[in-house]
Amino acid sequence: MEINLDKYRNLSRHLGREYINLNPIQRGGILPVEAKKVIYEYWDGYSVCDYCGGRLDEIRTPPIYEFLEDVSKFLDMDISRPTHGARESKFIVMHSICKEGDYVILDENAHYTSYVAIERARLNYVTVKNDGYPTYQIEPERYKEAIDRLEDEGKSIGLILLTHVDGSYGNLSDAEKVGKIAKKRRYPFLLNCAYTVGRMPVKGKKLKADFLACSGHKSMAASGPIGILSIREEFAEEVLRRSKNHPKKEVELLGCTSRGVPLLSLIASFPYVVERVKKWEEELKKTRYVVDRLEEIGFKQLGMKPKEHDLIKFETPVLEEMSKRNKRRGFFFYEELKKRGIGGIVPGVTKEIKISVYGLTWEQVEYVVDTIIEIVEKC
Amino acid sequence: MEINLDKYRNLSRHLGREYINLNPIQRGGILPVEAKKVIYEYWDGYSVCDYCGGRLDEIRTPPIYEFLEDVSKFLDMDISRPTHGARESKFIVMHSICKEGDYVILDENAHYTSYVAIERARLNYVTVKNDGYPTYQIEPERYKEAIDRLEDEGKSIGLILLTHVDGSYGNLSDAEKVGKIAKKRRYPFLLNCAYTVGRMPVKGKKLKADFLACSGHKSMAASGPIGILSIREEFAEEVLRRSKNHPKKEVELLGCTSRGVPLLSLIASFPYVVERVKKWEEELKKTRYVVDRLEEIGFKQLGMKPKEHDLIKFETPVLEEMSKRNKRRGFFFYEELKKRGIGGIVPGVTKEIKISVYGLTWEQVEYVVDTIIEIVEKC
Ligand SMILES: Cc1ncc(COP(=O)(O)O)c(C=O)c1O
Ligand SMILES: Cc1ncc(COP(=O)(O)O)c(C=O)c1O
C-alpha cells in the first residue's frame, strides 16, 4: 500500500483568517474566543463522555443537561436534544412521527436537505409555491389550499414544514400564520430554523411550532457539525422513544448524537449567542444599508423588501455586462474582490450573487460596499 | 426569560490533561499535535465548505476527496464516506440494503448501538451466542447455524453483522471465517470496526467484509463525533443512491455528513494513525504485561487469552473483598487511584473493572500497574 501522507500535513485555511468572508453560510458560524478555549479542553475523542451515566443529554460535567434545559427556555419550547445539524433534526422528526408514504407539505423555498430527509424517510411531499420573481414570497394561505387538496384526495398528511428563513432569498416567512393553520387542522408543524435560531429571536410556542430544527454551525457560532432539535412535550414520547433492548437509549438518536467537540463549542458560545440575538436590529440595519448602496449601482435585491434577514440575493446585470467585456469573463469579480481581501463569492458567477455582512463591524461593512462599488466603477 | 449563563463560561476538562485515563473508550481518541493545529484552522462553523462544489466527499481543499481514497486503500476497501460515527455507519447500511422486517444476524457481544440501529431501521434480529464465562468467545460456525435456522423458518435475512472487537471483553473475533460464511450463503457482511480500525491493521477484503463501520473518536485519534463507512463497489449504488430531486446528493448521507472540524481532525491524524497501527504488537505486549502482573495479585482477566486487543476486563474479587471492609465501600479504589493521578475507572464498581493502557509509554504502564498493586497491598 503506497499512500502519500504528506498532503495531510500542515493543512491551513485562508478564507477565515485572511479574508472578509461574505458567504452567507459562513457568517453565523464564526466562533467567539470563549468557544475556542473550550475546544482546547475537549478536542480529544469522546472527551465529553468522562462522566456519562449512559445518556449524552443527561451529562452534568460538562453541563450538557443544563444547557439543553436553557436552550429550551431560550427557544420557548419544552425539550431539546443535540443533533448533528438541522437536516438530521428534520430527519429525526420525519422518521419518528410520519408513516412511510405520508405527505409532507413544504414551501417551495425549502432547502435541499428537507427534500433529502423526506426521501430518506420514504415520504411523499407537495410544495407550496412561492409568488415568483422578484419576491419569491411564501403565502401562508397556500398551506391551507395544499391541506384541502390532499385531504380531498384522501392522502395522509404527516407533517407541515416551513423554512423560517430560506437559503436562496433570505425571506423571513410568516411562521405564526402557518403554525396557526397547522394547529387548526391538527397537523404537526416543523419549523426549519437553520438560518434564524442563533441570529434573531425565535420563540417556538408563539409561532405554534411543534418542532424547531436548528443549526449550530450555521447560525449559533459553533463548530460543525452540530444542531438542535427542540420539541413540544406532547411529541416527546414518539420522537424520543426508548429502545426495547436498552431502555435508557433513545432510538431515533442512536443512543447519543453529538458526542464531541462541536457540542462543547455550541455550549461555550451560548452566552455569546444569547447576547447577539438581542442585537438583531443592528444587523438588519447593516443589511439594508448594503442593499441601498448597491442598488444605487444597478444591483437588484431579490426576495422580500425590506430585508428581514442578513442573507441578500442580488440580481447583478451590471456584473453580467462587465463579464462579457472582460477577458477573465465571470471570474473578474471574484478575483478583484480577492485582491482586496474579500472572499466567499462563487467564482465565475455574475448573474446573481448571494452575500451576507452578518457580524461584520460597520467599518467592515463600509469597506465591503465601497470595494464592490469601486470594482464596478473601475473595471 | 432568566438564564444563568455563567455556568457555560470557562469550562475545563481535568481527566484528559491531569490524569492518566484508563477508560478504554478514551485511549484511542487522543489527538496528536498535528490534529490540534488543524483544529485551529477549521473550528469555525462550516469552514470545510469554503471550496465545496456540492458534495463533502468531493472537496479537494482541504483534501477530503484524496483522504477518502487513501482511507479506502488503507482499509483495503473500494469506497469510503465520512459519517458521524460507527453507529451512524451501521444505520446507513441497514437502512439502505435491508427491507423493513428483515433479520440481522449479530453476535451476542455486539455493542448497544448495533441493536439501536436495528431498531431504528425497523429490522428484526437474532443473536449468535458467545461461549459464556469466562471467555465469552464468538464461534463463527454458529453464524451458519443461525442462517440455517432462519432460512428453514422462511425468514428474510438482510445482513450479517460481526463486532470485530467488542466493548465488553475486548475479544477479537474471527472476522474472516464469518465473512466466508456470509459470502458462501450470499448475505452482505458488515464488520463493526469501532474498536479495531485505527488501532490495529484491518484489511476489509481479506476479511470478506462488504462494509466496515469505523469510529474516528474511538480509535482513529480524532475529535468526536466522526466515523467512516467503507464499502465494496457492488453496494455503492444502493448505499450511496442519489436523490431524485437533487441528483448530486446522496440520500442516506442527507447530502453531507461530517461538515466540520471532526473530519479535519481525522484527516490530520491520518498519517499518525497509519504509523501507529504498525506498532500494534508493542501495544499488545503492554496489554499482556498488565494482565500478567495483575493476575498475580488476584485479578482475573475475562475474555479470550492471550489478549489480542488492548481493552482488558478483569474480574476483581480482591477489590470486592476490600470494599466490604472499607468505609468508603466500592469507592475506595476509584479514590485511591485518583489521588495518584489515575482516572477513567467507574466510581464505586469493584466486582469487575475495564481498563486499557493503549498508547501509554512503558513508563506509564509500569506506573499504572505498580499503583494498582500498591493500593491492593496497602489499603
Ligand atoms: C434553510 C436551510 N436549512 C438547512 C440547512 C442545512 O443545515 P445543516 O447543515 O445544519 O443541516 C441549510 C444550510 O445551508 C439552510 O440554509
Ligand atoms: C464495539 C463498539 N461499537 C460501536 C461503538 C460506538 O461507536 P460510535 O460512537 O463511533 O458510534 C462502540 C463505542 O463504545 C463500541 O465499543
Side-chain angles (χ1 to χ4, degrees), chain A residues 46 259, chain B residues 85-87 90 111 113 163 165 192 194-195 215 217-218:
Chain A
Y46 276 123
R259 46 209 182 280
Chain B
R87 67 194 72 188
K90 292 183 275 187
H111 195 247
T113 53
T163 315
V165 164
N192 176 9
Y195 251 133
S215 179
H217 43 271
K218 182 153 206 160

Side-chain angles (χ1 to χ4, degrees), chain A residues 40-97:
Chain A
Y40 256 115
E41 301 283 330
Y42 284 93
W43 47 25
D44 284 336
Y46 276 123
S47 59
V48 305
C49 311
D50 281 337
Y51 303 103
C52 179
R55 273 257 302 283
L56 181 71
D57 58 286
E58 293 176 352
I59 292 173
R60 288 176 184 265
T61 310
I64 297 174
Y65 176 82
E66 291 89 336
F67 168 70
L68 295 171
E69 295 272 299
D70 285 341
V71 162
S72 298
K73 276 191 225 167
F74 175 63
L75 299 176
D76 190 22
M77 294 293 280
D78 297 320
I79 300 172
S80 299
R81 290 287 184 271
T83 66
H84 300 298
R87 68 193 71 188
E88 286 85 356
S89 298
K90 291 184 275 187
F91 178 72
I92 288 168
V93 171
M94 293 172 189
H95 194 250
S96 50
I97 70 160

Side-chain angles (χ1 to χ4, degrees), chain B residues 22-77:
Chain B
L22 299 182
N23 187 345
I25 72 164
Q26 302 287 0
R27 296 233 48 84
I30 297 169
L31 301 196
V33 66
E34 308 82 287
K36 293 177 181 175
K37 281 200 237 157
V38 170
I39 287 178
Y40 255 115
E41 300 284 329
Y42 283 94
W43 47 24
D44 284 336
Y46 275 123
S47 59
V48 304
C49 311
D50 282 336
Y51 303 102
C52 179
R55 273 256 302 281
L56 182 69
D57 58 285
E58 293 177 351
I59 292 173
R60 286 173 185 268
T61 310
I64 297 173
Y65 176 81
E66 291 89 337
F67 167 70
L68 294 171
E69 296 272 299
D70 284 341
V71 161
S72 298
K73 277 192 226 164
F74 175 62
L75 300 176
D76 189 22
M77 294 292 282

Side-chain angles (χ1 to χ4, degrees), chain A residues 221-236:
Chain A
S223 300
I226 179 77
I228 288 286
L229 171 61
S230 225
I231 71 177
R232 295 294 307 273
E233 184 79 56
E234 61 217 87
F235 290 96

Side-chain angles (χ1 to χ4, degrees), chain A residues 325-338:
Chain A
R325 300 192 309 264
N326 199 300
K327 65 176 187 309
R328 290 169 295 169
R329 288 285 156 192
F331 290 89
F332 84 96
F333 188 58
Y334 171 80
E335 285 165 9
E336 291 298 324
L337 282 172
K338 195 169 166 186

Side-chain angles (χ1 to χ4, degrees), chain A residues 68-80 164 174-184 189-191 193 197 201-214 230-236, chain B residues 1:
Chain A
L68 295 171
E69 295 272 299
D70 285 341
V71 162
S72 298
K73 276 191 225 167
F74 175 63
L75 299 176
D76 190 22
M77 294 293 280
D78 297 320
I79 300 172
S80 299
H164 199 193
D174 192 335
E176 193 173 350
K177 276 202 186 136
V178 176
K180 278 186 182 154
I181 293 168
K183 276 291 83 74
K184 197 160 163 208
F189 176 41
L190 164 61
L191 190 61
C193 297
V197 163
V202 176
K203 298 291 164 198
K205 286 184 190 165
K206 185 168 181 300
L207 304 178
K208 308 275 178 282
D210 296 307
F211 311 98
L212 303 183
C214 317
S230 225
I231 71 177
R232 295 294 307 273
E233 184 79 56
E234 61 217 87
F235 290 96
Chain B
M1 179 192 64

Side-chain angles (χ1 to χ4, degrees), chain B residues 32-209:
Chain B
V33 66
E34 308 82 287
K36 293 177 181 175
K37 281 200 237 157
V38 170
I39 287 178
Y40 255 115
E41 300 284 329
Y42 283 94
W43 47 24
D44 284 336
Y46 275 123
S47 59
V48 304
C49 311
D50 282 336
Y51 303 102
C52 179
R55 273 256 302 281
L56 182 69
D57 58 285
E58 293 177 351
I59 292 173
R60 286 173 185 268
T61 310
I64 297 173
Y65 176 81
E66 291 89 337
F67 167 70
L68 294 171
E69 296 272 299
D70 284 341
V71 161
S72 298
K73 277 192 226 164
F74 175 62
L75 300 176
D76 189 22
M77 294 292 282
D78 296 322
I79 299 171
S80 300
R81 289 287 184 272
T83 66
H84 300 298
R87 67 194 72 188
E88 287 84 356
S89 297
K90 292 183 275 187
F91 179 72
I92 288 167
V93 171
M94 294 173 188
H95 195 249
S96 52
I97 69 159
C98 301
K99 294 182 309 297
E100 209 172 306
D102 272 3
Y103 278 75
V104 177
I105 302 178
L106 80 171
D107 55 296
E108 191 181 356
N109 298 345
H111 195 247
Y112 87 82
T113 53
S114 296
Y115 292 97
V116 175
I118 288 171
E119 214 171 321
R120 190 187 196 196
R122 295 167 188 148
L123 305 175
N124 291 302
Y125 67 87
V126 296
T127 50
V128 164
K129 298 275 176 272
N130 61 44
D131 69 358
Y133 182 89
T135 42
Y136 302 98
Q137 187 170 346
I138 298 296
E139 176 49 64
E141 285 298 308
R142 295 208 174 165
Y143 271 87
K144 222 183 259 172
E145 294 162 26
I147 293 172
D148 286 338
R149 213 170 333 115
L150 284 172
E151 286 185 349
D152 287 348
E153 293 169 10
K155 300 278 166 56
S156 166
I157 299 172
L159 185 68
I160 307 291
L161 190 163
L162 176 69
T163 315
H164 198 193
V165 164
D166 67 281
S168 300
Y169 312 104
N171 280 349
L172 176 67
S173 284
D174 192 335
E176 193 171 351
K177 277 203 185 135
V178 176
K180 278 185 182 154
I181 294 168
K183 276 293 82 74
K184 197 160 165 208
R185 309 295 287 265
R186 299 179 172 275
Y187 295 116
F189 176 41
L190 164 60
L191 189 62
N192 176 9
C193 298
Y195 251 133
T196 53
V197 162
R199 295 169 116 96
M200 55 186 275
V202 176
K203 299 290 166 199
K205 285 182 191 165
K206 184 165 180 303
L207 304 178
K208 310 273 179 279

